[in-house]
Amino acid sequence: MPLLIACAIIALCLAGPLAAATPEEGRAHVAWMKQNLPDVPEWNEWQQRTGALPPDFDALPSTNALPDPLRFLDGRPVRNARDWAARRAEIRGLFEKYVTGSFPAKPKIDRVVLLDESHGAGWVTRNVRLEFGPQSKGTLRVQVTLPEGPGPFPALIAPNLPGWGPALIRRGYASVGFAGNDFMDDAAPLKELYPDHDFAALPRRAWTVQLVLDYLETLPQVDMKRVGLFGYSRDGKMATIAAALDERIAALIAGSTGVGGVLPWRLAGEAGMGEGIQSTTMMFPTWYAPQLRFFAGRENRLPVDANSLVALIAPRAVLMEYGLNDEVSNSWALEQVYHSVKPVYEFLNKPVRLDLLRVPGFHGANDQEACLDWLDVQFGRSQRPWRNDFLHPWSFSDWQKLSGEKLDRATPPPPPAAMRPADWEQHATDLRRSIQWLLGEQPPPIPPLPPRNFPGRGPPPGPTVVAQGTSGNPGQLAPDVPAWVIARRGLKEFGWLEPEMDQVESRRIRFGYGLSGDLYYPKGTPEGKKLPTVLWLHGYSYPLGYMWVYRRDLHPILALVKAGYAVLAYDQMGFGSRQAEAASFYDRHPHWSQLGRMVEDARTAIDALEKEALADPRRLYLFGYTLGGTVALHAAALDNRVAGVVSICGFSGTNLDIDALSWERGLLPRLGLFAGHEPQIPYNNSHLLGLISPRPVLVVQPTADRLASPLEVKATVESARKFHATQAGTEGGPTLLQPDDYRRLPATTQDAVIHWMAENFTPKATP
């Protein structure tokens, strides 16, 4: 075993920096953060100045699911209106303690100064300055544009002075704007005006919305029962906090807030290949209270999340708007927020006024008119029904009714370590049959027709390139996500870095059943040369598929190409350009599984690579992250053409994870039939590793992964190694790398993985 990996495994015995039950453990955790997380000078200065240490994580409830809004921190259920009032106060207090910082009491407005007033055809605009706070030193600029007529008019507030003026006036709304964004932030001085309170930049701006509302109450032309608030991106985070603070906001339009608004930290982050606590507090250290950074990798211990914030707004109206391929969003996680908060509306005996608006495009895609259509519905100005078409409408009970499937209690096979060599061939056949059964009934594998180029319908797929300096079209119906990412040259957050990106060539290929992928390879590869080829199987990256964001380390594709590999990458079913496939999958295939489709896709990709002049058919490898790691293990167990596997966080313990694979995401429905009968699951992860043996496998399992049991993963790998020794008579089997980290793929781990590949994957090329 390489020394680097051996040292990493030894680190498991020394781990424990993420539990701060004592000051010594707290200081150890801070030291771990400074050593392993990207440097944040502002955070370092705060921590050194205050001596702040992380909370006692073990004293906080642990849940990887969203925290229940209708259950107190101590586990007591909310039973009545008095309980709910207390629970709301508890949620707000927890946000102030861990996320936003503490808020001062709302002051009165001391003076309203009219700055100017202008009139147009059918409207009047008034600019004022509100003065408030200690010695009236707090000021806030507000602009109000009113339609002609007596009113009162419904109003929409936005965190910039012009607001949505033109669109609002012609729809009969008052437009209200205030200086509450990065370009005009009148809330910035509040930090010095209220030194006893530590509310951060976005919460400070949110706090000033209360003063805007106080001013609007003095205007008879404004209908205070129909006041909405809009914010997009970081302003959407701010607007969500503001709506939670002040119940006079009747409706919130939260546009692509990313995490910290209506998108939960728990279900995004590095595990979801997107924005998270670490990246947000690194890139924007003043947005939230600095103590939030302690929860990087410990999101399960954060006692509140986005759904808690939305619950504070209930039963008022909330619209969660986002672009389908919006890099800071996550369609599945937003739908989980909906399902989590819906019971709060029902508890309050109010209609559910929590809705989704999904628009084509990337971050920045916003449909003002559709938002106003929704606002018209909420304010009683339209009777048109609003439809929420979910992309991920999974329900195990609905699937069971549809499929009619029940548990057939088969006798589970023995683990590989208990098998005699003479029995293995038959057991392997039985195990593969069990895997195929659990993956579901695959439709007949009729060979697909080769792609054809019809006159007038454009050329076949070509290279994934976009002219330098362009940024793609946020409104296009079928965005080429890889091309859009690559075109955003210089943005480190996507991991598509220079100079490595300029040393790569690519071409688009078609394979399987209507699929396309991108084959990346070193620039200048001689014609006729065959390269070891990797199939990159991404994780839970809903908006970007095989790309990812908010990770400044080199993307695995570029790192692998730099190491001399060709890499085939494509969006897995339900992600990126293929998100829409998930919604109707089980209506079409009630006895198959999404995981089964993903395995089929991987195997048809291997079919295509075998025919590629660039790829060496003897050196085809699978490299999977989280969900991709699960797909890789299943595909390799069933397909001997796979020469080796890297599975990073691809399984959570010895047994298949019923919660994650069946109940939560519907990837493997039949697995849910074994709830309560787990010993009868027909195979486990040790079996998968045994079926791949003696081909080389690297299992990467961080020691502080909140979504796994690292000790169980270690035991699973050891069991498979014992089986290999029994079968081969030599030491070997899967290798385990356990970095002292949480679930993510930083450059240090990625470099160690590629180093292992160089030592263990077949080095010889096909003659």
Side-chain angles (χ1 to χ4, degrees):
M1 184 181 300
L3 178 62
L4 176 64
I5 296 177
C7 293
I9 294 175
I10 293 172
L12 174 64
C13 303
L14 305 176
L18 298 181
T22 67
E24 291 75 16
E25 290 175 331
R27 286 189 286 272
H29 177 58
V30 170
W32 177 89
M33 292 176 67
K34 292 181 178 179
Q35 179 179 353
N36 292 277
L37 300 184
D39 186 56
V40 180
E42 297 92 338
W43 188 87
N44 293 338
E45 187 279 328
W46 167 82
Q47 196 279 325
Q48 291 170 3
R49 173 172 48 83
T50 64
L53 296 177
D56 182 354
F57 292 118
D58 291 337
L60 295 170
S62 174
T63 175
N64 287 315
L66 295 176
D68 188 347
L70 294 175
R71 193 167 291 275
F72 286 92
L73 188 63
D74 63 6
R76 292 180 294 117
V78 172
R79 301 183 184 278
N80 50 47
R82 180 179 297 178
D83 282 351
W84 176 238
R87 174 60 174 151
R88 288 188 85 256
E90 181 181 62
I91 291 173
R92 174 166 171 169
L94 291 168
F95 267 103
E96 293 192 38
K97 182 175 183 179
Y98 295 119
V99 182
T100 63
S102 62
F103 294 102
K106 177 174 69 72
K108 65 180 181 65
I109 297 175
D110 297 323
R111 192 161 66 121
V112 178
V113 179
L114 178 63
L115 300 177
D116 60 61
E117 185 171 292
S118 58
H119 295 260
W123 52 266
V124 57
T125 295
R126 183 179 303 145
N127 283 290
V128 301
R129 182 179 69 245
L130 310 182
E131 297 178 353
F132 60 91
Q135 301 176 340
S136 297
K137 290 184 178 181
T139 62
L140 180 65
R141 287 168 288 170
V142 179
Q143 182 181 105
V144 178
T145 300
L146 300 167
E148 279 188 347
F153 303 105
L156 181 65
I157 305 171
N160 58 81
L161 292 178
W164 285 12
L168 290 170
I169 296 302
R170 61 193 304 168
R171 298 276 295 252
Y173 282 80
S175 173
V176 182
F178 70 102
N181 59 47
D182 284 359
F183 304 101
M184 49 173 65
D185 184 8
D186 286 358
L190 298 179
K191 182 178 181 180
E192 284 70 38
L193 287 178
Y194 294 95
D196 295 333
H197 297 272
D198 62 343
F199 54 154
L202 296 184
R204 284 197 298 270
R205 297 173 191 172
W207 182 83
T208 65
V209 174
Q210 301 173 100
L211 297 162
V212 177
L213 291 162
D214 286 351
Y215 170 64
L216 294 182
E217 285 186 327
T218 69
L219 304 180
Q221 301 96 327
V222 174
D223 183 351
M224 289 303 297
K225 293 183 178 179
R226 296 189 293 174
V227 175
L229 175 63
F230 167 79
Y232 196 93
S233 192
R234 65 194 66 183
D235 296 337
K237 303 175 196 284
M238 177 280 300
T240 308
I241 298 169
L245 290 177
D246 199 312
E247 296 185 20
R248 291 174 293 179
I249 297 170
L252 167 69
I253 301 173
S256 188
T257 70
V259 289
V262 297
L263 182 66
W265 307 101
R266 277 171 173 77
L267 305 183
E270 296 94 335
M273 298 175 67
E275 183 185 35
I277 288 180
Q278 193 289 119
S279 61
T280 299
T281 57
M282 171 189 68
M283 296 175 61
F284 310 104
T286 64
W287 279 7
Y288 294 98
Q291 56 265 31
L292 176 63
R293 188 166 175 80
F294 286 130
F295 288 90
R298 288 288 187 176
E299 292 86 354
N300 59 315
R301 297 290 185 173
L302 186 64
V304 288
D305 215 320
N307 65 316
S308 314
L309 196 59
V310 176
L312 292 179
I313 304 171
R316 292 168 287 141
V318 178
L319 179 66
M320 301 186 289
E321 181 196 20
Y322 65 98
L324 182 62
N325 297 103
D326 188 332
E327 63 269 29
V328 307
S329 196
N330 183 311
S331 56
W332 178 80
L334 286 172
E335 292 181 14
Q336 300 313 302
V337 169
Y338 177 94
H339 296 306
S340 173
V341 180
K342 180 181 177 182
V344 177
Y345 285 83
E346 295 170 344
F347 173 81
L348 297 173
N349 295 316
K350 298 289 185 179
V352 179
R353 303 170 68 199
L354 177 61
D355 294 307
L356 298 166
L357 174 58
R358 187 171 59 245
V359 297
F362 304 100
H363 192 62
N366 177 36
D367 190 332
Q368 281 191 354
E369 294 299 331
C371 289
L372 291 177
D373 290 342
W374 175 83
L375 209 57
D376 279 347
V377 172
Q378 303 307 321
F379 288 169
R381 307 174 86 226
S382 170
Q383 299 304 312
R384 295 182 62 185
W386 187 269
R387 289 187 56 183
N388 290 312
D389 295 319
F390 296 106
L391 282 174
H392 312 279
W394 167 249
S395 163
F396 178 81
S397 59
D398 288 349
W399 168 80
Q400 197 168 16
K401 292 176 184 177
L402 176 67
S403 66
E405 298 208 10
K406 298 179 181 179
L407 177 62
D408 181 11
R409 300 184 182 180
T411 302
M419 297 178 191
R420 297 176 301 170
D423 299 332
W424 172 240
E425 186 174 343
Q426 182 59 47
H427 280 304
T429 300
D430 293 341
L431 282 172
R432 290 190 178 96
R433 189 180 299 116
S434 295
I435 294 170
Q436 293 282 15
W437 175 83
L438 203 58
L439 290 176
E441 299 171 12
Q442 179 179 339
I446 300 175
L449 294 173
R452 297 175 61 188
N453 183 18
F454 294 97
R457 299 191 184 183
T464 303
V465 294
V466 172
Q468 184 173 347
T470 63
S471 59
N473 176 8
Q476 59 192 354
L477 296 178
D480 188 335
V481 174
W484 177 78
V485 168
I486 293 169
R488 305 194 75 180
R489 179 179 291 270
L491 286 179
K492 296 181 179 180
E493 280 65 51
F494 294 92
W496 211 260
L497 307 180
E498 299 173 286
E500 288 83 0
M501 66 178 291
D502 295 319
Q503 298 165 1
V504 170
E505 292 184 279
S506 71
R507 65 171 177 265
R508 185 153 291 179
I509 64 173
R510 281 184 174 170
F511 61 94
Y513 298 90
L515 303 182
S516 65
D518 296 304
L519 184 65
Y520 296 90
Y521 50 93
K523 190 173 184 178
T525 298
E527 185 176 352
K529 182 175 182 179
K530 290 187 175 294
L531 299 175
T533 303
V534 171
L535 190 59
W536 159 239
L537 297 168
H538 65 77
Y540 295 101
S541 175
Y542 287 94
L544 296 185
Y546 77 74
M547 290 293 186
W548 58 16
V549 73
Y550 288 106
R551 175 188 183 277
R552 291 181 169 179
D553 295 320
L554 194 64
H555 193 287
I557 291 174
L558 295 183
L560 288 164
V561 173
K562 185 178 180 180
Y565 296 91
V567 181
L568 176 60
Y570 62 90
D571 293 348
Q572 298 204 74
M573 199 276 292
F575 300 90
S577 60
R578 301 175 64 192
Q579 288 183 79
E581 293 182 31
S584 301
F585 182 85
Y586 290 111
D587 293 331
R588 298 165 180 159
H589 306 290
H591 302 291
W592 202 12
S593 70
Q594 293 183 19
L595 184 61
R597 174 61 199 262
M598 294 175 187
V599 171
E600 178 192 66
D601 291 347
R603 299 183 73 180
T604 60
I606 294 171
D607 293 340
L609 288 175
E610 284 190 312
K611 301 173 184 177
E612 270 292 324
L614 192 68
D616 184 343
R618 295 197 319 177
R619 296 186 292 170
L620 299 179
Y621 307 108
L622 304 184
F623 187 113
Y625 178 65
T626 62
L627 172 60
T630 304
V631 175
L633 292 175
H634 281 78
L638 296 174
D639 198 323
N640 287 326
R641 294 176 298 173
V642 176
V645 176
V646 173
S647 177
I648 303 169
C649 302
F651 59 97
S652 60
T654 300
N655 292 319
L656 301 179
D657 191 333
I658 291 178
D659 287 341
L661 295 176
S662 183
W663 300 112
E664 188 178 78
R665 300 185 196 248
L667 297 169
L668 199 56
R670 284 180 174 174
L671 182 61
L673 299 172
F674 292 89
H677 305 280
E678 285 78 5
Q680 310 225 331
I681 298 174
Y683 68 93
N684 58 36
N685 291 304
S686 183
H687 294 123
L688 292 175
L689 294 172
L691 286 168
I692 301 171
S693 181
R695 291 168 287 169
V697 179
L698 175 63
V699 174
V700 181
Q701 177 53 67
T703 61
D705 186 350
R706 64 182 175 87
L707 296 169
S709 170
L711 290 178
E712 275 195 35
V713 171
K714 183 179 180 181
T716 302
V717 172
E718 289 176 348
S719 174
R721 289 180 65 83
K722 290 178 182 177
F723 167 70
H724 176 88
T726 301
Q727 295 299 306
T730 61
E731 292 295 323
T735 303
L736 178 63
L737 169 61
Q738 289 187 288
D740 183 17
D741 208 342
Y742 61 93
R743 179 170 289 203
R744 62 188 186 125
L745 184 53
T748 51
T749 300
Q750 185 163 276
D751 291 346
V753 169
I754 293 176
H755 176 75
W756 179 90
M757 293 169 65
E759 290 190 346
N760 291 273
F761 285 169
T762 306
K764 294 181 180 180
T766 301

